[in-house]
């Protein structure tokens, strides 16, 4: 659906901390479904990462921010946020804390998620 909509696609290749990870094989499989990685001359952003070690997560976030700036994506400011919680924890000093991706609307500090 993303391809037919003509929107940018970011692919996160996970589990890079596991021995025998084969990111080149994944890129080859992506190219077979017309998702050519940028480093091969295509437009698909491919970011290898490890959720376990955190390696590559900053690159993924940078890629998301860069694409949103290039395409000038903005959110609707006057509606409640809608999105996905990535992780959450309880901070003993400030209470519940969550990392999330806001897909629509505006999320402010203190909003209930």
């Amino acid at each position: 659906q993303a391809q037919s909509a003509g929107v940018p696609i970011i692919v996160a290749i996970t589990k890079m901390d596991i021995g025998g990870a084969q990111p080149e094989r994944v890129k080859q499989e992506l190219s077979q479904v017309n998702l050519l990685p940028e480093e091969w001359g295509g437009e698909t952003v491919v970011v290898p990462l490890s959720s376990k070690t955190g390696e590559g997560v900053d690159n993924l976030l940078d890629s998301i921010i860069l694409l949103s700036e290039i395409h000038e994506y903005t959110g609707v400011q006057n509606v409640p946020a809608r999105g996905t919680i990535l992780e959450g924890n309880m901070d003993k000093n400030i209470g519940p804390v969550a990392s999330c991706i806001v897909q629509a609307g505006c999320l402010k500090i203190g909003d209930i998620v």
Side-chain angles (χ1 to χ4, degrees):
Q1 287 182 342
Q3 282 179 307
S4 62
V7 297
I9 297 174
I10 299 174
V11 176
I13 302 176
T14 61
K15 307 213 183 281
M16 293 304 297
D17 54 282
I18 295 176
Q22 298 176 353
E24 293 304 314
R25 190 182 106 214
V26 174
K27 292 174 189 176
Q28 180 64 38
E29 291 175 6
L30 287 170
S31 69
Q32 293 172 359
V33 292
N34 298 322
L35 293 175
L36 196 62
E38 283 181 323
E39 61 196 59
W40 292 4
E43 295 183 2
T44 305
V45 176
V46 178
V47 182
L49 64 90
S50 166
S51 300
K52 188 175 186 177
T53 65
E55 180 182 344
V57 173
D58 287 338
N59 291 339
L60 176 61
L61 294 174
D62 289 343
S63 296
I64 293 169
I65 291 168
L66 179 63
L67 278 179
S68 70
E69 289 175 353
I70 289 171
H71 295 279
E72 298 179 355
Y73 295 134
T74 59
V76 178
Q77 299 294 319
N78 58 353
V79 296
R82 182 178 55 86
T84 303
I85 301 295
L86 300 175
E87 66 178 346
N89 60 46
M90 182 65 73
D91 184 290
K92 65 180 181 178
N93 296 320
I94 59 176
V97 177
S99 297
C100 62
I101 294 178
V102 176
Q103 295 166 317
C106 183
L107 182 64
K108 299 177 185 85
I109 294 175
D111 284 354
I112 296 173
V113 292

